[in-house]
Amino acid sequence: MHVGVDSFVSTVTDPTDGHVVGPAERMAHLLEEIELADRSGLYSFGIGEHHRSEYYDSAPPVILAAAAARTERIRLGSAVTVLSAADPVRVFQQFATLDLISKGRIDLVVGRGSFTEAFPLFGLDLADYDSLFTEKLELLLQIRDQEEVTWSGRHRPALVRQRVYPRPLQDPLPIWVGVGGTPESFARAGLLGLPLMVAIIGGEPRQFGPLVELYRRAGAQAGHPTEQLQVGLHVFGFVAESAQAAADTIYPGWEEMFTKVSRERGFPRPTRAQFDATSGPNGAFFMGDPQTVADKIRRVADQLGGVDRLSLQMTNPRLAHADLLRGIELLGTEVAPLVADV
């Protein structure tokens, strides 16, 4: 299994001294984190996309271009690109250019996102949530597979024998579909023969087993080879010297993040007991010392019938830069070797 990191580039208040990390300093820290991930042997680093005040990742291709110029081996990608709110032509051009800059180290993960701010921001109707994604994914795949494109749809002006440049170094450019928990999303990815990135943010990972099986079954019935139907996991977690240290380091920022989201969505306020339960052996969070995290990765991969890639999302508004660097180092040097044969 390949192991990597995903970041939502959250705003940060350093818990050691209360210092509010400014945007420029936060970007500098992020690039240090990506460089360390590259040196530590991690397989990938993904940048999310949000249009909210608590994140600095509204323009992932710009961040990824800077990262590509500073790294040599690590794969870089989106986590995820909110395709519903974007123009597929521009998305393809941006990531094809990134692929050239990085010399073929780019993965494009597309999805609909877990927040809705992008829809009014770009003049879109939230009622078109599903049809926007379906139509734009169709166009994106056609652009990837054909240099000259003729296409028409509901949400974008038609293209008639238009050529889209540049073309990427990788042929084809890897396009993954990021999904949450709807059977329709899993089946659609399988029918298209696209690799699947499953966002597990709650519940128990083993509950996704039937959905992953649905994806594989849909792909097989559509005639796609087994090796093409890759499964990746995007999960929340952290690695520290001990399980207690990992939990204590991450909890304050987790409580802050999810209190805000819970207030917005009318959910009960999160608690430490809930956090600890979700960090346990069967919970959704991959939290602990290197051996504990590696054991959980192996167990979940077995429950899901095999996993090709796992990306640990360690964004946290109360996480010191030094602690995050240490977590990345431990993930790359100690966890990744323990699961390389999964």
Side-chain angles (χ1 to χ4, degrees):
M1 181 193 295
H2 298 304
V3 177
V5 172
D6 286 341
S7 176
F8 293 167
V9 199
S10 67
T11 59
V12 173
T13 299
D14 192 319
T16 61
D17 58 10
H19 165 63
V20 178
V21 178
E25 185 182 6
R26 180 68 185 93
M27 283 294 175
H29 286 175
L30 173 66
L31 293 174
E32 288 181 42
E33 293 154 16
I34 299 173
E35 289 179 272
L36 177 61
D38 188 38
R39 296 195 305 270
S40 299
L42 285 168
Y43 182 76
S44 62
F45 202 109
I47 301 295
E49 179 188 342
H50 299 84
H51 302 273
R52 297 168 60 90
S53 61
E54 65 265 38
Y55 299 113
Y56 295 131
D57 60 353
S58 64
V62 179
I63 297 172
L64 293 170
R70 291 167 175 250
T71 55
E72 298 179 356
R73 182 201 53 79
I74 196 167
R75 293 193 68 81
L76 302 166
S78 53
V80 299
T81 293
V82 184
L83 185 62
S84 305
D87 181 354
V89 174
R90 291 299 287 155
V91 169
F92 182 84
Q93 290 175 325
Q94 289 165 347
F95 280 84
T97 302
L98 282 168
D99 201 50
L100 298 175
I101 294 171
S102 68
K103 298 182 175 61
R105 294 187 284 126
I106 292 296
D107 291 303
L108 172 55
V109 185
V110 298
R112 290 173 288 191
S114 58
F115 294 99
T116 61
E117 288 82 3
F119 288 83
L121 183 62
F122 296 108
L124 301 168
D125 189 341
L126 190 58
D128 296 326
Y129 183 81
D130 191 64
S131 64
L132 278 165
F133 181 74
T134 301
E135 182 177 292
K136 291 185 176 186
L137 179 59
E138 174 192 288
L139 175 55
L140 179 65
L141 293 175
Q142 189 170 336
I143 294 169
R144 180 188 71 167
D145 297 338
Q146 301 172 16
E147 191 168 325
E148 183 178 279
V149 178
T150 296
W151 176 92
S152 64
R154 285 180 51 208
H155 301 293
R156 187 200 187 281
L159 297 173
V160 180
R161 301 187 64 183
Q162 294 290 320
R163 294 176 178 270
V164 180
Y165 299 109
R167 307 307 295 181
L169 183 62
Q170 297 178 92
D171 185 16
L173 179 72
I175 296 177
W176 294 63
V177 176
V179 298
T182 65
E184 295 79 9
S185 296
F186 283 78
R188 174 168 50 203
L191 289 171
L192 293 171
L194 296 174
L196 186 76
M197 185 62 69
V198 185
I200 300 179
I201 59 176
E204 296 186 359
R206 61 186 173 188
Q207 295 173 327
F208 286 83
L211 292 172
V212 172
E213 175 56 29
L214 172 63
Y215 160 72
R216 291 184 172 126
R217 188 167 62 250
Q221 291 173 350
H224 300 297
T226 302
E227 61 272 16
Q228 187 173 319
L229 301 173
Q230 299 181 66
V231 174
L233 303 181
H234 165 95
V235 300
F236 179 79
F238 190 67
V239 188
E241 309 295 344
S242 70
Q244 191 65 50
D248 291 345
T249 300
I250 288 298
Y251 177 73
W254 176 88
E255 193 270 344
E256 179 180 314
M257 286 191 299
F258 282 88
T259 293
K260 181 173 183 177
V261 172
S262 297
R263 189 183 304 120
E264 291 176 356
R265 301 183 181 184
F267 298 158
R269 183 182 178 123
T271 65
R272 181 62 190 253
Q274 177 187 355
F275 174 85
D276 289 339
T278 311
S279 302
N282 296 314
F285 298 165
F286 287 63
M287 195 84 60
D289 60 88
Q291 188 64 58
T292 297
V293 173
D295 289 345
K296 188 164 191 173
I297 291 173
R298 299 180 74 93
R299 184 167 58 254
V300 170
D302 183 63
Q303 292 169 347
L304 300 183
V307 172
D308 300 281
R309 185 184 299 192
L310 182 138
S311 294
L312 205 64
Q313 201 283 101
M314 296 192 280
T315 292
N316 191 290
R318 296 281 172 178
L319 180 60
H321 180 49
D323 289 336
L324 181 50
L325 290 176
R326 182 56 177 156
I328 290 171
E329 183 179 33
L330 288 172
L331 185 66
T333 61
E334 298 195 26
V335 177
L338 291 173
V339 299
D341 62 339
V342 173

